[in-house]
Every structure is written in structure tokens, then in C-alpha cells.
Amino acid sequence: MKLFKNRTFLLFLPVISFLVIPFYGFIHAVIQSIDGEGLAHYKEILNSERFLSSVWFSIRTAGTATIASIILGLGFTKAFHPFLARTSKRLMVWVPMLFPHFVWGYMVILLLSETGWISQAFAAAGWMENTSNFPVWTRDPQGIGIIITYIWKEVPLVILLLFPVFTSIRPEYYALVDSLGGNAWHRFTTIDLPHLFPVLVESFLIIFSFTLAAYEVPALIGTTFPEMISVLGYEWFYGSSWDDRPLAFAAMVLTSLFLLALTLVSYYGLSRPRWRAMRGDRP
Amino acid sequence: MKKFIPFFLLAIVFMTACSETSTNKNDWTEAPWKEIEAAAEGTEVRLYMWGGDEGINAYIDDYVTPQLEDQYGVSLKRIPLDTPEILQKLQTEKQANKQDGSIDVIWINGENFKNAKENELLVGSFTDVLPNFNDYYNTEDPAFQRDFGTKIEGMEAPWGKVQFVFHYNSEKVENPPATFEELQTWVAENPGKFTYPRAEEFTGNAFLRHVLYAQAEKPSDVYEQPLKENNITPTAERTWSYLNEMEKNLWRSGDHYPNSLTELDRLYSQGEVWMTMGYNESRAESLIKEGVFPESTRSFVMELGSIGNTHFLSIPFNSPNQPGALTAINFMLSPEAQLEKYKPDDWGENTPISFDQLPENVKEEFKAVERGKSVLSTEELEESFLPESEADYVDWMKEQWFNEVVQK
């Protein structure tokens, strides 16, 4: 067969074996969300105040955590990348990546809850009258605890993604900006940003999709209301009656479609600058 | 794209091929007991159960597991997993037509049992074959006929009996409230010192159903009537207004309800709240011993009564080791295992065994057990016992509570 003589085709094998199962899962989820009733379940969740508030809350929380992680990670890599060339120091930065998310979530509770270490230390030091004066940062309706956990976990990931790009920027570019009388801001906008932009967008997509749909951290340090979309989906899926299951599938299908659309938009948005970068002409 | 099609087909064929395994199996639920025990020897039994209580885990690991190994040559593996997730695993195995599963025994009751039974995830009726169940239990007891309103039909064996109690710190609370009105007054006088877990949580849901019982004309209006035939609206209205009135004086003004009983327990152990609760009248004992709860922890029930229920062991439809599962369940139902479970050292929970059917000396041993200072007397618990309502109420409560209390 001609098909199998073409060796390059074999390169697609791993991709296909990776994609078949998620694809099958997605189709299955769509079938379950319809459950023989057309779009009724979709209509139901889109009319549910609980679902809509959870969508807004999820996007806000995941968005804030992602943007903050990227800004902090970018600043850190920019400031410290010369030091990170040594492997031992690089490993130090990546220590938080060793712990699973829920362990980090527990750390945040231990440290930042109203009776956590920090509030007790403040009270012991006399800076606060008693521990109840400590602000509510975990299980709070603003999602502060969730955001802190994700920033803590994702900044090292951002460094991991950005570091190779930084080291690949040739120092001559900076020298050029300097010789033309540019300052640090010019260096950042004319050299760093164009180099980093595709990676930044990719990092945003990775972290945002992950935080938007993650379950364990919001379940651990989220509050009763509003709740993250995955927590609500879990409730519907594992709730005592199995009648709500199609709702859980519908919510997750919508989330997947939203993330897919976001990825496609960024992909097409990115491909133009990428082309130009490959041809060598920079804006 | 066309080039890919053969690979997709290949993958699909591969995936369907995986799911078409089936084995012929003996039905052990009718076999003579001697044969079952003989077949169980030297096998491994996998017990999937909720793992959130250290005392319960210690009872299984330090008592049941070594005893089963010594007496029957059965090696027990305890796998901690939440019951809905166990059922989900079974459901997936069923959809994939997997006849040789990985679970032999599950710990189950209430709405989980209802779901398991309705979706045919259980092996079927098996309690008739268990010698210990037939010898030492009152098999006619209504508590073994229905589980949250669902007919049991021999599909699960009674393992334990618990009652809902409130725990409080007697150093901070001198006179615990005796009625739900008094609780409301107490909460108003001590703002921020009381809360209850959210309705999705087992314990939180039980607390809310107590309030529902209290707001009905009489508790039996709720537990004797199926939800769909019950005119619940007036009772429900009173329940929501009771809870909403209380909300502003709860811990964190009711902005956040503990996600789990563990979270409430931690608040209690740190002194942030002065009461906790739980569906096991003696669960504070081991927590006091470990120093998690203060020594001065005591318990109380409301005058209205306290909901109690029975929990069970069952066997999934695709258990790979039915004789082992039956042997293990029979052992866990035995007077010796029940007595050990009754002692406050690890678990300390009540037994569904029938004292009248026990030999004199064993009965004496049960009577001699000191259950601990935080546990109410057997008489008081029995007097306040209220049956569980239908499983539908649990679900109804979850949904309504969110709409009527949290979102308001």
C-alpha cells in the first residue's frame, strides 16, 4: 500500500494515538449532554443563575491568576535570567512545581487562613489584636485564595517556558538599542516583547485553560457561592440523583468549546507575526 | 484527511475489542457456606470505602485485616475512595461490559445504595447466605428492610448503626440548646460561633433535615411520607426562614459554609466555632484522645429527636472474588468484630446486632464497654431515635438549600 510507504506518515502516529481518546471522550460527552433531549439541557444551564455566576467567577478567577502569573513570571525571568543559567539555581526556582496543586492549596490554607501561621504570627507579634482581625483570604467570595495558589504554582511554569526564549535573545540587539539611545523600556518593547509574544500567548492559553477547568484547588479553598465551574460540574455529576448528569456534561462541553475557540483565535492571531519572524522582517 | 481514516478505524476496532471480555462465573450467593469459606482461603479481597476518618481506617487496618488473615487466610486491601466515585467506577465498568472488576466489597447506604440498585451495580441478594447475619441479627428489623426508603432485598448487609449528635465544648457552652428555637437564640447570642457544612455534604444535609423535621407539624410527617406525595411547601417555607434568620449570625455571617465535615471539625478544634456535629454518636472519642478535640467536648441531641440510620456492606456485580467478599462481610458482621468496633478505641460506633440473639457472655462484654464521656447513654440515644426520610429528600434539600439560603 502506498500509504504506508510514506515514512513521514508514521510521525502522525503518536499524535493520533494521543488525540483519539480525548476526541472519543468529547463526542461521548456531547452525546451524554444531549441525552435524547436535544439542546434542552444546554438551555437549562444557560438559564440557570447558578451556572452563569459560576462561569463569570471562573473566568474572572482564572483570568486574574493567569495574567498575574505571567506578569510576575516575566518580571522574574527578565530580572534573574542570567543567574538562572546555573542548573542548581534553576532547580530552586522550580521547587513549587514538585508539589501537586492540592498540596499547595493546603499550604495556602495553613499560611493564610484566619487562624493560619501568618495571622497567628501577627497576633503574637502584637501587630493585630487577635487572629480574627486577619482578612478573609481563603474560602472567600472573591477567589483570592484560589488566585494566590495558582500564582504560586504557575509562576515557575511561566519561568520554565520563558527562560529558553530569554537565553536565545542575542545581546547584540540590546547593544543596538543602547547605541540608538534607547532606555530599558525600549529594550523591553522592541526586543523582548516581539520575541516573547508567541510564548506569552501560549503560556496564557495553557495556564488559563488549566485553571479554568481545574477542580481540586477550588474545591479545597473555594467558598459556597460563587463556585468555580468545575466544582458545580462535579456537584451535578456526583450529586445524589444521577438526573443532573447531562447538565454536568453540557457545562463541560461548553467549557471545552470556549477554550477551543480561544485557542483557534490565538493561533490565527499568532500565525501572522510568526510568519514575519520566520522571514526575518520585524515590525 | 482521507489518509487518516484507516487509523481512526483501527483505533476504534482496538477500543471495542478491549471491551468485549466476559467470563463465566459461579453464582456464590446460593452456595453452601463451607464451600464459600474454602474458596476464599488464600485470596485477596479489595474493600473500597470512604477513607476520611482515621479511627475507622485504624479499625480496618489494625483489627479486621489481621483477623481475616489469621482466621480465614483472606488478605484484605482497603482502598479509600468516596462512594459516589466508587459507583462511577462501577458504572463505567458496566458500560464497558467488564465482568471482572476490581472491587469486591463496598461500604454503602442511602442515596448511593439507591443509585447502585437502580443502575444494577450490585451482585444481587446475598444476605441469606451469611451465617452471622442469620444467627445474630433480627433479620425482620424494619431497619434492614429499607435504606432511606429504598427496599434492600438482601442486597446489602447491615454493618453499623449511627445516630446524629451535636458536639460542643462544655467549657465554653454551659447549657447547650435543647430545641431548634433555643439553638437560634444561642446563635444570636454568640454570633460567629456556629455553622454547619453545606448541603452537598453528608453531615450538613443531615443537619438540614433535622431542621426540616423540626419545622414540620411532627417529624413523622416527613419520614413517613414520600417526597412527591408530601405537601412540603409550608414546612419548607418555615425551614428556609429559620435558616435565613440564623445565617447572619453564623460563622463568617454565613458567607461561607464548610465544604466538608473535616473543615468544620478543624474550626471547632481551633476554637473558632464552639459546636460541631456528626452522624456518629461516639466519633468525638478518638478525636479527643488524639488531642484534636478539647477534653471538655460533650455531645447532645435535640428534644425533637436525632436521626439515626444503618449503614451497610455490599458486593458489586462484577466482584472478581465473591467467596472472599462474602467471607469478609460475614466476619465484619460477627459479634467479635462488632464488639471491637463498639469499643471507643478506634471507631466506637453502635452495632446493628440483636443483643437478644447473642450468647450471655458476649452480651455482658458489650454491656461492659465504657463508650466514653462524650457519648450519650444508650437509653437517651434510643429514646431520641428518629428514622431517616426517603432518599429523595436528600437531593431535594441540596437543590433547595442552595436556591433558598445561599443565593438569597
Side-chain angles (χ1 to χ4, degrees), chain B residues 161-186:
Chain B
K161 203 168 90 174
V162 287
Q163 230 169 303
F164 188 96
V165 294
F166 293 87
H167 294 286
Y168 68 104
N169 185 340
S170 59
E171 266 174 18
K172 291 181 169 148
V173 185
E174 273 176 28
N175 298 310
T179 63
F180 277 95
E181 285 95 69
E182 284 183 39
L183 177 68
Q184 196 166 36
T185 321
W186 187 86

Side-chain angles (χ1 to χ4, degrees), chain B residues 26 62 75:
Chain B
N26 260 343
D62 304 341
S75 75

Side-chain angles (χ1 to χ4, degrees), chain B residues 51-346:
Chain B
D53 186 307
E54 289 312 313
I56 297 175
N57 295 345
Y59 168 73
I60 300 288
D61 295 343
D62 304 341
Y63 176 77
V64 178
T65 308
Q67 288 291 324
L68 269 171
E69 186 72 63
D70 284 358
Q71 296 185 26
Y72 301 94
V74 169
S75 75
L76 189 75
K77 293 271 171 296
R78 178 176 67 81
I79 292 120
L81 198 64
D82 283 350
T83 319
E85 290 177 37
I86 300 174
L87 296 190
Q88 179 54 35
K89 189 171 155 67
L90 286 172
Q91 173 82 345
T92 313
E93 288 180 358
K94 194 176 176 81
Q95 278 170 354
N97 197 20
K98 193 177 173 200
Q99 291 300 320
D100 256 336
S102 48
I103 308 171
D104 295 311
V105 181
I106 47 178
W107 183 22
I108 196 167
N109 81 342
E111 78 261 29
N112 290 318
F113 173 67
K114 186 177 174 220
N115 285 333
K117 193 184 167 197
E118 282 174 358
N119 291 282
E120 297 177 351
L121 303 179
L122 303 174
V123 78
S125 180
F126 68 90
T127 48
D128 283 348
V129 81
L130 303 173
N132 283 333
F133 178 63
N134 292 307
D135 292 350
Y136 303 115
Y137 291 73
N138 173 11
T139 52
E140 301 298 311
D141 188 335
F144 308 156
Q145 307 303 320
R146 277 170 187 274
D147 179 0
F148 280 74
T150 309
K151 274 195 183 154
I152 291 172
E153 295 171 332
M155 292 190 189
E156 46 178 13
W159 188 28
K161 203 168 90 174
V162 287
Q163 230 169 303
F164 188 96
V165 294
F166 293 87
H167 294 286
Y168 68 104
N169 185 340
S170 59
E171 266 174 18
K172 291 181 169 148
V173 185
E174 273 176 28
N175 298 310
T179 63
F180 277 95
E181 285 95 69
E182 284 183 39
L183 177 68
Q184 196 166 36
T185 321
W186 187 86
V187 170
E189 283 164 4
N190 301 280
K193 294 298 172 200
F194 181 82
T195 189
Y196 56 91
R198 56 191 300 187
E200 278 86 359
E201 215 272 342
F202 188 65
T203 310
N205 202 294
F207 169 79
L208 291 167
R209 276 176 283 129
H210 276 93
V211 178
L212 187 72
Y213 278 24
Q215 301 304 325
E217 296 280 318
K218 53 187 188 304
S220 59
D221 288 352
V222 180
Y223 66 74
E224 277 179 358
Q225 286 202 56
L227 179 60
K228 49 183 178 298
E229 289 158 32
N230 198 345
N231 178 19
I232 196 86
T233 322
T235 312
E237 294 290 326
R238 286 196 291 275
T239 307
W240 310 136
S241 70
Y242 176 89
L243 293 168
N244 282 320
E245 220 164 284
M246 189 187 232
E247 188 172 50
K248 58 182 182 295
N249 293 318
L250 294 179
W251 176 71
R252 266 202 200 169
S253 319
D255 286 341
H256 170 75
Y257 291 87
N259 293 330
S260 63
L261 180 59
T262 321
E263 197 184 320
L264 177 60
D265 282 349
R266 193 171 50 239
L267 292 175
Y268 175 73
S269 72
Q270 291 169 339
E272 278 208 53
V273 296
W274 291 346
M275 286 187 198
T276 179
M277 55 191 80
Y279 223 137
N280 172 2
E281 66 277 6
S282 65
R283 74 183 189 99
E285 277 306 301
S286 56
L287 290 162
I288 294 171
K289 213 173 60 190
E290 286 162 30
V292 178
F293 280 6
E295 287 273 345
S296 49
T297 300
R298 298 288 178 273
S299 63
F300 69 93
V301 290
M302 295 291 185
E303 267 168 25
L304 162 89
S306 108
I307 302 179
N309 75 33
T310 312
H311 54 84
F312 301 82
L313 291 166
S314 190
I315 307 174
F317 73 99
N318 62 354
S319 151
N321 180 10
Q322 278 187 32
L326 289 166
T327 309
I329 291 177
N330 190 54
F331 172 73
M332 290 196 260
L333 260 56
S334 69
E336 46 171 325
Q338 289 288 328
L339 177 64
E340 192 61 34
K341 187 153 70 73
Y342 189 64
K343 291 178 186 165
D345 309 345
D346 288 328

